[in-house]
Amino acid sequence: MNYKKENLTLRYSTVQFTYWAASTGATSFATIYLLDRGLSSGIIGVLLAVSGILSCLIQPFLASAADRAEKVILIPLQVLISVLCIAGYAAQLLGELPVLAAGMIYVATLCCSDAMVPLLNAMSVAYNQAGYEINYGAARGVGALASAFAALALGNVFAHLGKLWMILFLLLFRFISLLLMASFPKIKKQRAELEKEETSCSIWYFFSHYRWYCASLLAVLFLGMYHAMTENYMIAIMQRLGGNSSHVGTAIFVAGLTSAPVIFFYGTIRKQCGDAVWMKTAAISFLIKSVGFYLAPNIYTIYALQLLQITSYGFWDRRRSIMPKIK
C-alpha cells in the first residue's frame, strides 16, 4: 500500500516553471535568433522542421528506455538531456563558431529540449504512484505562466540588449531546472509496473483497427504544426505590421497568460462538457486565429487574436486527457 509522503507539487511546479521559461524562450525566438546570426529563413525552416521530426522519433526510444529499466531513470535521463541543452546553449557563446554550425547546434538543442517533455510529464505519475503528492494541473499551469513571462522578458532583452543576453537567460533557467530535478528524492518502480504484461501489435493492425484514433492523432498533429509555425514565424507577422522582437514577446506573453487558467483548472472544466467538445472548440479557435492573422491590419489586432489562446492552445495542450481512449 502507498502512503502519502512529501507533497512535491511546489518543487515540481518550479521545475515546470524553469523548464518552460527556457524551452519556450528558445523555441519562440529561434527564428529571430538564427536570422540575427545570419542564416536565411529557408535554412531556418528546414532546420526547425528536422528538429521537430527528430524529437518525435527520439521520444518513443526515451520512453521505452524508461519503461524497460529496472529502476526509475526519469530523473537521470532528464539531467543528462539538460546537460546537453546547457552545452548547446553555451556553444552559442563561441564567437568563432561557423554560422551554419551554430544554427545546427541550436536546433539540436531545441530537439533535446522537446524530447524531454514526456519524461517531465511522466514524473508526476511516477511520484504519485510512489506515494508522493503532485498536482500536475497546477504545476503545468505554472509552466504556462513561465512561458508567458519568459516570452515577454526575452522579447525586450533581445530588442534592447541583443542575442548574447538571450542565451545567458536560457542558460540560467536551464541550469536552475537541472538543479531542481536533481534534488528530487529517489523512488523505486512500483510492483504494478514491474508485473505489468507487455502487449504489442503490428503497425498495420493498429492503423486498421483504430482508424478514428489515428485520424484524431493526425488532426492533433496539424494543430500542433500550426501552433509551432505561428510562434516560430511570429517575427515575420510582426515585421509586416511594423513590429520587432519586443512585439513578438508581448504577443506570446498575452497568449501564455490567457491559456494558463485553462491548463490550471482543466480538471474542473472537462467535467462541464464531453472531451470531444473541447477538442473541437480548440480546432475552431485555431482556424479563427489563422484567418485573423492573415487579415490583421495592425499589431493590436494580433494581440487581441492571441486571447483566443484560452480556447485554442489551452484545450489543445490538454490533449493527453481529451484524446479518445483505445479500447
Side-chain angles (χ1 to χ4, degrees):
M1 179 180 293
N2 288 334
Y3 295 95
K4 288 296 179 183
K5 302 176 184 177
E6 180 184 356
N7 190 321
L8 296 177
T9 298
L10 178 60
R11 195 185 308 187
Y12 184 65
S13 296
T14 58
V15 170
Q16 286 275 353
F17 185 94
T18 51
Y19 168 82
W20 285 107
S23 180
T24 300
T27 302
S28 299
F29 291 87
T31 300
I32 300 174
Y33 174 77
L34 296 175
L35 283 172
D36 194 70
R37 288 290 304 231
L39 289 174
S40 67
S41 57
I43 293 177
I44 293 171
V46 171
L47 290 176
L48 291 175
V50 171
S51 173
I53 293 171
L54 287 178
S55 174
C56 292
L57 295 175
I58 291 172
Q59 288 180 22
F61 289 100
L62 291 176
S64 178
D67 287 340
R68 295 181 180 181
E70 295 183 359
K71 300 179 179 180
V72 177
I73 61 171
L74 290 173
I75 298 299
L77 272 178
Q78 291 181 92
V79 168
L80 174 60
I81 295 173
S82 295
V83 169
L84 292 176
C85 291
I86 289 172
Y89 293 136
Q92 303 301 312
L93 302 177
L94 302 176
E96 67 277 8
L97 198 65
V99 174
L100 183 57
M104 294 176 68
I105 292 173
Y106 188 89
V107 295
T109 305
L110 293 183
C111 176
C112 291
S113 180
D114 289 342
M116 190 173 150
V117 174
L119 302 177
L120 183 63
N121 295 336
M123 277 180 64
S124 64
V125 177
Y127 277 88
N128 273 310
Q129 290 178 342
Y132 294 90
E133 185 176 348
I134 291 181
N135 185 328
Y136 175 80
R140 184 62 188 90
V142 170
L145 288 175
S147 295
F149 286 105
L152 182 64
L154 277 177
N156 287 281
V157 165
F158 198 97
H160 299 105
L161 300 176
K163 59 180 178 288
L164 171 63
W165 286 94
M166 168 186 160
I167 296 299
L168 292 176
F169 178 98
L170 299 179
L171 278 170
L172 173 63
F173 279 93
R174 179 60 70 179
F175 183 69
I176 295 174
S177 178
L178 184 154
L179 294 179
L180 290 169
M181 282 187 290
S183 71
F184 270 70
K186 293 182 179 181
I187 57 176
K188 296 180 180 180
K189 277 204 169 183
Q190 302 305 298
R191 185 176 299 277
E193 293 181 82
L194 295 173
E195 296 177 350
K196 182 176 60 178
E197 291 186 5
E198 186 174 333
T199 60
S200 62
C201 63
S202 69
I203 294 177
W204 296 115
Y205 179 91
F206 183 87
F207 283 128
S208 63
H209 284 72
Y210 304 115
R211 295 174 184 174
W212 171 240
Y213 184 81
C214 292
S216 301
L217 289 177
L218 186 62
V220 170
L221 173 64
F222 285 145
L223 293 179
M225 289 170 61
Y226 166 76
H227 175 71
M229 287 188 291
T230 53
E231 286 212 342
N232 287 332
Y233 287 97
M234 182 64 74
I235 184 62
I237 298 172
M238 288 302 186
Q239 286 179 338
R240 178 177 67 85
L241 300 173
N244 56 30
S245 62
S246 66
H247 297 99
V248 172
T250 302
I252 297 175
F253 167 75
V254 172
L257 199 63
T258 53
S259 64
V262 172
I263 296 172
F264 194 99
F265 294 109
Y266 186 75
T268 301
I269 293 173
R270 71 176 304 190
K271 297 176 182 178
Q272 307 305 313
C273 291
D275 289 334
V277 172
W278 299 127
M279 181 59 83
K280 291 173 183 177
T281 302
I284 293 172
S285 298
F286 273 123
L287 177 61
I288 294 172
K289 279 184 66 176
S290 65
V291 174
F293 279 173
Y294 179 76
L295 299 175
N298 53 55
I299 292 174
Y300 294 103
T301 303
I302 299 295
Y303 292 162
L305 288 168
Q306 288 290 73
L307 295 174
L308 284 172
Q309 198 85 335
I310 194 169
T311 54
S312 56
Y313 181 80
F315 293 147
W316 179 84
D317 182 72
R318 303 301 295 158
R319 62 198 178 278
R320 287 173 297 276
S321 57
I322 63 180
M323 287 300 294
K325 304 292 187 295
I326 294 180
K327 298 183 179 181

